[in-house]
Amino acid sequence: MAIAQSLLRMAEEEIAAKNCSRLEVVRVEYGALAGVVPESLELCFEALIKGTPHESARLELIRLPLRLRCPFCGEVFGGEGQEALLQPCPGCGEQFGHVVEQGKELILSHLEAR
């Protein structure tokens, strides 16, 4: 609920600055390690906009895959979930110390409003 509240608050601030009053689309990009449960976020967002001018707004969620870099050989690799953190580097076979280059994000990436 806290994530949905924060996203809605940021969206409302942004559209108010542009002299708009009603959200149409809110697009959020989230990493595989961001701790977002898409179904829960959608449910919370819908509960928050019910009975408001934003009631018909659409929440679009885009999941960003995990991207890791091996600090030993520089190989960039990844996967879809936390299990990718446990895979060895395909370049050198090293299992530990991989740097997360993508996967922790939670970005309000796009808004459409009237």
Side-chain angles (χ1 to χ4, degrees), residues 9-55:
R9 185 173 36 253
M10 287 188 300
E12 287 175 329
E13 289 172 4
E14 187 63 29
I15 68 168
K18 305 288 188 217
N19 294 319
C20 297
S21 60
R22 188 176 74 182
L23 286 166
E24 299 289 325
V25 177
V26 176
R27 184 175 305 137
V28 176
E29 297 178 34
Y30 66 97
L33 302 178
V36 171
V37 178
E39 297 81 10
S40 295
L41 184 55
E42 289 171 343
L43 184 68
C44 292
F45 183 81
E46 288 174 13
L48 290 170
I49 63 172
K50 188 171 178 84
T52 73
H54 316 302
E55 190 163 16

Side-chain angles (χ1 to χ4, degrees), residues 83-102:
E83 62 278 353
L85 289 171
L86 304 175
Q87 68 184 352
C89 170
C92 69
E94 182 62 43
Q95 288 211 235
F96 302 106
H98 305 132
V99 177
V100 177
E101 290 191 343
Q102 178 178 284

